[in-house]
């Protein structure tokens, strides 16, 4: 089955094409086509994973653009442990989110369009995961960006959604552009864009060290854009304008993880450049703490989760930058499940309350007990409380970072902040007394099932990387027996910090109170304002665009109008003037024409007869 | 070989050719310099006669004699007659339209 | 005293040639269109004389019949039907007249120089003196039968065309 792993990606593509071709007329057909195709894909992914665990490896490509000599471009796919793991993550989360969407999107005008875009997205994401070269990955990378745009802007009649979609697309374009440059740069130096070829070239030292560093940093820029790392993180919180299932699938579990996946995929290259690794780890660590602080003050439940996602992605980058690729992917794996669960729970309460503002919720524990318990479990997992899944992966990352005091401190502070903002969400949303009024209606079964199902991996997937059982996932990903890094001191420290964070949140928001938090905010007003305004990053970008970019544009416009247009117009004017003077020749007098004809004839005759007249012939 | 005048007599091919060239050139001067369309038509006839003289001179002096030149002259005369008929018809049509046969008055195609 | 044949031929040639050229020049200079037509008759008739001397007796007859007889009458009809300009005809603007004369003179000089410097081989010293009418008739209906037929079609076309163009609407 792993020989034909491409079928996993082809199924959602087929469903997308079918919906586009005509199934869109029937909402039920669109939805079920998507769900069935992804469900089949999930089944096949499971088989592929089993085969790969048994040692199967696939590497297939065909020449797409053969050039002379060894150069050339090819398209292809590969199946290895990383791919197989990602296939399972993507298809299973996607399947659950689609089932959830059945109920969540009911009655939406763009129901079929939503499922078509979701199919296309799943196809793109699976293609990205299966890609065996930087070029192939780039193709799907852009396709994924397009789907993200379509889905964020699903409610495009709302100006905020349209603006958020544009913002996401444009901001990630910055990273994508650097990514493309990086691909070209690496191709230039290594003569190939295949991962295996690049790895061999790097291992054999055929790529100069400086070139490898530059190339990998450019590739990392792409990952920074897609995974919303500092300083290109600004699009992800705004992307929450999209439907909540979209946020769960794309902007939490899968697409934003594409950047992490890309860095994990290229980590064999990264390992050859200490500088690039340091930059990756630094950006990751900084983003982790930076985003977590903004999550502390956001009032929109989805935005809190978005900042949490940015922060956790920073964690993964940190791990990869530290050389602990398996730990990063392990965290990605766990994060995909519990973050999807958190978003689906958020969607559940938003569906109930028709608002995103947590200060208008409160006391929803009674109306949505399933969501409450699921959120609590996922939040504990995210905060890294023993023995939930997040504990194991976060601990592995902390252990990897323990050698670097600064990064370790940042990671540890992030653990504290994570626990605080997550329990702030729980206290504000589910506990205390109702502050808003619910539009009471029963939760559709299709929305409840995914919540219940996702609780299981949120608790258990951590065991795949648990040291007691020998870290099977790590060994699987690394291709060798991974050293089970388990430092009881670190584990105890992080758990204590996480519990401290939860207690801090209780002190501020416990029992539905909001006054202590408001007092604290008033006390540290400048800092609070800084956080509420998201470190003024959006203002900075706005200023940059308005002043600098538009200023350059204004100058360019002047040059274009004053110089370029003047030159072009002058050419035209010269032609007009030449024509104006030449038209005098066209007198309409036939005799003048005849005269010119004979004058020309006699001139030619003289030229022709000249040798004979001179006696030379 | 630089040009040299033929003897005054006997009459040779070159005398005939010179006469043809002279008639052609004088006719051309008329075509280029006159205003009246009918006179221009006459000057064209003079040019055609210059050509005919050339044809006839060649036919007369070719050795062994070949009469193709004269046959050509017959055709030239025929075409000239047809041309005169059509040309005069056009001139009359123009005259009807604008009460003049001055060619410099007909300048609709001025650029 | 017996005047040599050569001299007679030369005298005839020069007379007719001078008359033809003088007629052509007068045609151009004349102010009156009618005078121009008369000078044209002189030129055409003289050209017919030259044809006789150059041994083309049949063509000389054709020349007189068609040109002097038919074309001249046609031109006179044209003059008659365009009465406005009979008294007006004149040379064009001096610039155009002079430049036209210069080009015409240049053509004459070039062609004269060319034909005087060329080596004419395969030519006789004197014009042939044979009866040409029968030979022309034979070649018109044998070798040149196709051009002959085309010429007759051309006449038909010219006749219809002239009628259509000159017809009053």
């Amino acid at each position: 089955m792993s020989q034909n792993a491409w079928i996993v990606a082809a199924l959602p593509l087929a469903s997308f094409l079918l919906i586009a071709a005509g199934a869109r007329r029937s909402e039920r057909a669109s939805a079920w086509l998507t769900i069935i195709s992804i469900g089949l894909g999930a089944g096949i992914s499971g088989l592929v994973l089993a085969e790969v665990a048994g040692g199967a490896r696939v590497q297939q490509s065909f020449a797409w653009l053969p050039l002379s000599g060894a150069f050339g471009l090819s398209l292809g796919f590969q199946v290895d442990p990383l791919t197989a793991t990602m296939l399972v993550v993507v298809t299973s989360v996607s399947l659950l989110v689609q089932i959830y969407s059945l109920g969540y999107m009911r009655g939406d005008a763009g129901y079929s369009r939503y499922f078509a875009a979701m199919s296309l997205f799943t196809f793109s994401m699976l293609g990205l995961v299966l890609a065996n070269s930087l070029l192939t990955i780039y193709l799907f990378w852009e396709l994924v960006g397009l789907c993200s745009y379509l889905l964020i802007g699903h409610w495009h009649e709302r100006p905020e959604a349209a603006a958020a979609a544009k913002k996401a697309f444009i901001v990630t374009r910055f990273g994508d552009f650097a990514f493309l440059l990086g691909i070209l740069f690496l191709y230039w130096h290594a003569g190939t864009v295949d991962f295996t070829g690049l790895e061999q070239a790097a291992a054999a030292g055929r790529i100069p060290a400086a070139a490898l560093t530059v190339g990998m940093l450019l590739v990392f820029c792409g990952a920074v854009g897609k995974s919303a790392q500092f300083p290109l993180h600004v699009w992800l919180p705004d992307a929450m304008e999209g439907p909540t299932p979209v946020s769960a699938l794309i902007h939490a579990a899968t697409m934003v993880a594409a950047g992490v996946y890309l860095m994990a995929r290229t980590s064999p290259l990264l390992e050859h450049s200490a500088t690039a690794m340091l930059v990756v780890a630094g950006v990751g660590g900084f983003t982790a703490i930076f985003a977590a602080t903004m999550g502390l003050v956001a009032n929109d439940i989805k935005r809190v989760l978005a900042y949490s996602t940015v922060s956790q992605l920073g964690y993964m980058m940190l791990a990869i930058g530290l050389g602990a690729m398996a730990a990063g992917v392990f965290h990605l794996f766990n994060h995909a499940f519990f973050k999807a669960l958190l978003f689906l729970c958020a969607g559940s309460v938003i569906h109930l309350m028709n608002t995103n503002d947590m200060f208008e919720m409160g006391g929803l524990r009674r109306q949505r007990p399933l969501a409450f318990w699921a959120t609590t479990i996922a939040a504990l997992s995210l905060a890294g409380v023993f023995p939930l899944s997040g504990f194991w992966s976060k601990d592995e990352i902390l252990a990897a970072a323990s050698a670097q005091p600064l990064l370790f401190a940042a990671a540890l502070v992030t653990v504290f902040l994570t626990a605080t903002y997550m329990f702030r969400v729980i206290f504000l949303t589910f506990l205390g007394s109702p502050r808003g009024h619910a539009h009471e209606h029963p939760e559709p079964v299709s929305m409840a099932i995914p919540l219940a199902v996702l609780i299981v991996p949120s608790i258990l997937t951590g065991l795949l990387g648990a040291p007691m059982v020998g870290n099977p996932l790590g060994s699987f990903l690394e291709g060798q027996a991974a050293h089970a890094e388990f430092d009881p001191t670190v584990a105890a420290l992080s758990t204590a910090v996480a519990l401290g964070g939860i207690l801090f949140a209780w002190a501020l928001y416990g029992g539905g109170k909001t006054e202590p938090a408001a007092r604290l905010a008033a006390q540290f007003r400048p800092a609070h304002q800084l956080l509420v305004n998201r470190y003024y990053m959006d203002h900075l970008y706005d200023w940059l665009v308005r002043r600098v970019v538009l200023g350059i544009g204004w100058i360019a416009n002047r040059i274009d109008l004053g110089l370029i247009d003047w030159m072009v117009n002058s050419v035209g004017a010269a032609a007009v003037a030449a024509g104006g003077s030449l038209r005098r020749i066209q007198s309409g007098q036939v005799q003048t024409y005849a005269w010119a004809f004979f004058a020309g004839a006699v001139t030619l005759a003289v030229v022709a007869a000249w040798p004979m007249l001179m006696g030379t012939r | 070989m630089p040009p040299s005048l033929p003897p005054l007599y006997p009459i040779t091919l070159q005398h005939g050719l010179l006469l043809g060239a002279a008639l052609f050139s004088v006719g051309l001067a008329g075509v280029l310099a006159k205003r009246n369309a009918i006179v221009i038509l006459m000057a064209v006839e003079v040019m055609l006669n210059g050509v005919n003289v050339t044809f006839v001179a060649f036919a007369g002096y070719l050795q062994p004699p070949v009469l193709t030149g004269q046959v050509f002259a017959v055709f030239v005369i025929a075409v000239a007659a047809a041309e005169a008929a059509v040309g005069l018809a056009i001139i009359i049509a123009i005259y009807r339209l604008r009460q003049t046969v001055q060619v410099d008055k007909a300048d609709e195609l001025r650029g | 005293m017996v005047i040599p044949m050569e001299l007679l031929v030369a005298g005839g040639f020069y007379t007719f040639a001078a008359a033809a050229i003088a007629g052509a020049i007068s045609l151009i200079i004349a102010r009156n269109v009618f005078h121009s037509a008369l000078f044209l008759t002189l030129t055409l008739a003289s050209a017919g004389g030259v044809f006789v001397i150059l041994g083309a007796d049949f063509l000389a007859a054709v020349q007189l019949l068609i040109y002097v007889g038919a074309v001249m009458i046609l031109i006179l009809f044209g003059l008659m039907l365009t009465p406005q300009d009979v008294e007006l005809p004149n040379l064009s603007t001096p610039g155009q007249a002079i430049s036209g004369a210069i080009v015409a003179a240049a053509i004459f000089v070039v062609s004269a120089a060319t034909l005087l410097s060329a080596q004419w081989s395969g030519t006789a010293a004197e014009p042939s003196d044979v009866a040409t009418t029968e030979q022309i008739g034979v070649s018109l209906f044998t070798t040149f039968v196709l051009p002959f037929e085309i010429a007759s079609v051309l006449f038909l076309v010219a006749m219809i065309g002239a009628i259509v163009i000159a017809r009053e609407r």
Side-chain angles (χ1 to χ4, degrees):
Chain A
M1 191 44 81
S2 44
Q3 290 293 333
N4 296 315
W6 56 270
I7 292 174
V8 182
L11 282 167
L13 176 64
S15 109
F16 165 71
L17 293 176
L18 283 174
I19 294 172
R24 64 173 184 273
R25 279 176 236 292
S26 159
E27 296 190 340
R28 290 175 66 86
S30 306
W32 285 103
L33 265 174
T34 306
I35 290 172
I36 290 167
S37 69
I38 296 174
L40 279 174
I44 296 172
S45 302
L47 295 176
V48 169
L49 182 65
E51 280 183 27
V52 173
R57 299 287 184 275
V58 180
Q59 180 71 255
Q60 276 186 13
S61 61
F62 66 92
W64 173 42
L65 205 68
L67 302 175
S68 60
F71 287 80
L73 298 174
S74 61
L75 290 180
F77 74 96
Q78 67 176 24
V79 179
D80 65 357
L82 184 57
T83 300
T85 312
M86 289 298 294
L87 281 181
V88 171
V89 173
V90 172
T91 50
S92 53
V93 176
S94 184
L95 177 64
L96 291 170
V97 168
Q98 306 313 332
I99 293 171
Y100 182 87
S101 304
L102 273 181
Y104 190 87
M105 298 301 289
R106 183 167 297 152
D108 191 273
Y111 198 79
S112 299
R113 176 163 54 89
Y114 170 85
F115 279 99
M118 277 299 214
S119 282
L120 184 62
F121 166 76
T122 310
F123 155 69
S124 318
M125 190 66 207
L126 291 169
L128 192 152
V129 168
L130 283 165
N132 73 338
S133 74
L134 279 175
L135 187 76
T136 322
I137 229 176
Y138 186 74
L139 294 180
F140 288 107
W141 186 269
E142 294 294 349
L143 211 49
V144 158
L146 168 73
C147 295
S148 170
Y149 169 81
L150 292 176
L151 286 164
I152 295 170
H154 181 71
W155 292 316
H156 54 82
E157 59 279 353
R158 279 171 37 198
E160 302 88 20
K166 273 190 286 186
K167 186 173 179 179
F169 196 73
I170 293 167
V171 171
T172 49
R173 280 300 313 164
F174 279 98
D176 294 354
F177 180 62
F179 183 21
L180 183 61
L181 284 183
I183 295 174
L184 294 174
F185 198 79
L186 289 174
Y187 180 76
W188 182 29
H189 282 285
T192 177
V193 286
D194 290 357
F195 293 124
T196 42
L198 282 170
E199 281 161 27
Q200 283 160 7
R206 270 184 284 131
I207 309 177
L212 189 66
T213 304
V214 172
M216 282 316 294
L217 284 178
L218 285 169
V219 170
F220 179 59
C221 285
V224 164
K226 202 61 103 190
S227 286
Q229 299 294 290
F230 179 84
L232 295 182
H233 62 278
V234 290
W235 67 270
L236 189 59
D238 287 22
M240 296 303 131
E241 293 293 339
T244 305
V246 169
S247 309
L249 175 62
I250 298 182
H251 305 120
T254 57
M255 185 194 83
V256 290
V260 178
Y261 169 77
L262 176 67
M263 296 319 289
R265 176 56 80 196
T266 52
S267 59
L269 295 175
L270 194 65
E271 277 164 14
H272 294 279
S273 168
T275 320
M277 285 182 79
L278 192 65
V279 171
V280 173
V283 170
F286 179 72
T287 307
I289 191 164
F290 179 75
T293 52
M294 290 190 282
L296 283 177
V297 297
N299 293 338
D300 182 326
I301 182 167
K302 283 177 74 182
R303 278 181 180 260
V304 177
L305 296 178
Y307 286 121
S308 162
T309 304
V310 175
S311 167
Q312 296 303 308
L313 291 168
Y315 246 90
M316 302 170 203
M317 288 294 185
L318 171 65
I320 290 170
L322 291 168
M325 183 275 266
V329 175
F330 183 30
H331 196 54
L332 190 169
F333 186 75
N334 294 334
H335 177 260
F337 292 110
F338 61 65
K339 187 51 70 65
L341 178 57
L342 281 171
F343 265 105
L344 296 185
C345 291
S348 190
V349 299
I350 291 167
H351 200 239
L352 178 69
M353 302 298 289
N354 269 340
T355 176
N356 287 6
D357 192 342
M358 291 187 293
F359 284 88
E360 293 177 18
M361 296 178 181
L364 298 182
R365 178 166 46 102
R366 278 177 292 279
Q367 279 136 312
R368 287 286 183 269
L370 177 63
F372 168 62
W373 287 112
T375 306
T376 309
I377 290 168
L380 285 170
S381 186
L382 174 59
V385 173
F386 181 84
L388 301 170
S389 65
F391 168 77
W392 304 104
S393 51
K394 188 170 282 189
D395 220 57
E396 224 176 290
I397 295 173
L398 282 170
S402 56
Q404 306 259 16
L406 199 62
L407 292 173
F408 182 71
L412 212 56
V413 172
T414 308
V415 171
F416 178 81
L417 295 173
T418 307
T420 307
Y421 66 66
M422 273 326 297
F423 278 84
R424 174 173 175 264
V425 168
I426 292 172
F427 295 149
L428 281 175
T429 309
F430 292 103
L431 300 182
S433 49
R435 283 180 298 271
H437 46 88
H439 310 270
E440 185 50 63
H441 52 83
E443 190 169 36
V445 183
S446 58
M447 284 171 66
I449 293 172
L451 296 190
V453 173
L454 275 170
I455 290 175
V456 178
S458 298
I459 298 172
L460 292 180
T461 48
L463 296 175
L464 289 171
M468 296 87 73
V469 290
N471 192 0
L473 186 71
S475 317
F476 178 54
L477 288 171
E478 298 276 9
Q480 62 200 28
H483 48 293
E485 280 189 84
F486 186 72
D487 192 337
T489 330
V490 172
L493 191 61
S494 76
T495 310
V497 167
L499 291 174
I502 296 170
L503 286 176
F504 184 58
W506 176 257
L508 291 179
Y509 297 98
K513 308 189 297 289
T514 54
E515 296 80 21
R519 267 204 308 280
L520 193 68
Q523 214 167 349
F524 297 97
R525 196 178 146 70
H528 185 254
Q529 281 302 312
L530 187 66
L531 292 181
V532 167
N533 287 303
R534 304 176 298 280
Y535 292 94
Y536 295 99
M537 288 291 285
D538 283 310
H539 299 80
L540 173 69
Y541 288 151
D542 189 60
W543 179 85
L544 273 178
V545 169
R546 241 177 248 290
R547 298 283 159 199
V548 180
V549 178
L550 290 187
I552 294 170
W554 184 83
I555 294 169
N557 186 36
R558 288 280 126 180
I559 293 173
D560 186 47
L561 287 180
L563 187 66
I564 313 279
D565 278 14
W566 175 80
M567 280 159 66
V568 175
N569 289 341
S570 301
V571 171
V576 167
S581 46
L582 281 176
R583 71 192 270 272
R584 287 158 203 266
I585 295 174
Q586 202 74 14
S587 61
Q589 297 290 340
V590 187
Q591 275 180 311
T592 318
Y593 303 161
W595 183 87
F597 168 73
F598 280 103
V602 76
T603 311
L604 283 180
V606 168
V607 170
W610 195 255
M612 194 168 85
L613 295 177
M614 291 297 103
T616 54
R617 188 172 64 87
Chain B
M1 172 176 150
S4 57
L5 279 175
L8 207 56
Y9 73 97
I11 301 301
T12 62
L13 172 62
Q14 289 172 334
H15 290 87
L17 296 182
L18 274 176
L19 176 60
L23 282 177
F24 183 87
S25 303
V26 173
L28 175 61
V31 168
L32 294 182
K34 293 300 275 189
R35 267 182 173 161
N36 190 307
I38 294 180
V39 181
I40 288 175
L41 205 62
M42 295 182 205
V44 170
E45 300 294 344
V46 173
M47 287 172 75
L48 288 169
N49 259 274
V51 174
N52 268 355
V53 168
T54 307
F55 273 127
V56 170
F58 274 118
Y61 284 92
L62 222 53
Q63 197 63 261
V66 178
L67 285 179
T68 310
Q70 290 196 21
V71 176
F72 255 85
V74 170
F75 283 122
V76 170
I77 291 171
V79 172
E83 171 248 321
V86 177
L88 280 168
I90 292 173
I91 289 169
I92 288 170
I94 291 176
Y95 180 79
R96 272 213 198 97
L97 209 61
R98 35 181 53 230
Q99 314 304 317
T100 180
V101 290
Q102 307 279 86
V103 287
D104 52 355
K105 294 279 165 48
D107 59 353
E108 274 87 356
L109 290 179
R110 183 190 195 90
Chain C
M1 123 186 179
V2 176
I3 303 170
M5 192 61 195
E6 282 181 353
L7 264 181
L8 274 181
V9 167
F13 179 83
Y14 284 120
T15 310
F16 285 127
I21 292 170
I25 292 172
S26 307
L27 183 156
I28 296 170
I29 295 172
R31 294 178 149 265
N32 189 309
V33 185
F34 189 70
H35 294 167
S36 291
L38 293 182
F39 285 123
L40 177 63
T41 317
L42 174 62
T43 303
L44 297 178
S46 307
V50 172
F51 289 172
V52 173
I53 289 171
L54 291 178
D57 42 356
F58 173 73
L59 258 184
V62 169
Q63 172 89 356
L64 288 181
L65 280 173
I66 295 182
Y67 268 121
V68 183
V71 175
M72 274 314 300
I73 298 300
L74 202 58
I75 287 174
L76 288 176
F77 264 115
L79 286 178
M80 200 178 75
L81 289 171
T82 59
Q84 300 282 52
D85 291 326
V86 174
E87 293 300 325
L88 277 180
N90 212 336
L91 288 172
S92 298
T93 54
Q96 191 177 341
I98 292 167
S99 58
I102 289 173
V103 167
I107 290 215
F108 177 72
V109 168
V110 170
S111 44
T114 309
L115 66 92
L116 287 177
S117 58
Q119 303 272 28
W120 299 105
S121 55
T123 57
E126 293 189 347
S128 61
D129 188 17
V130 290
T132 56
T133 312
E134 188 189 341
Q135 289 186 31
I136 290 175
V138 167
S139 53
L140 271 182
F141 284 101
T142 54
T143 319
F144 297 103
V145 67
L146 184 63
F148 183 78
E149 293 299 334
I150 291 175
S152 57
V153 174
L154 177 73
F155 275 125
L156 183 65
V157 172
M159 193 165 70
I160 297 172
I163 292 168
V164 169
I165 292 169
R167 195 175 48 143
E168 275 202 76
R169 257 159 285 209

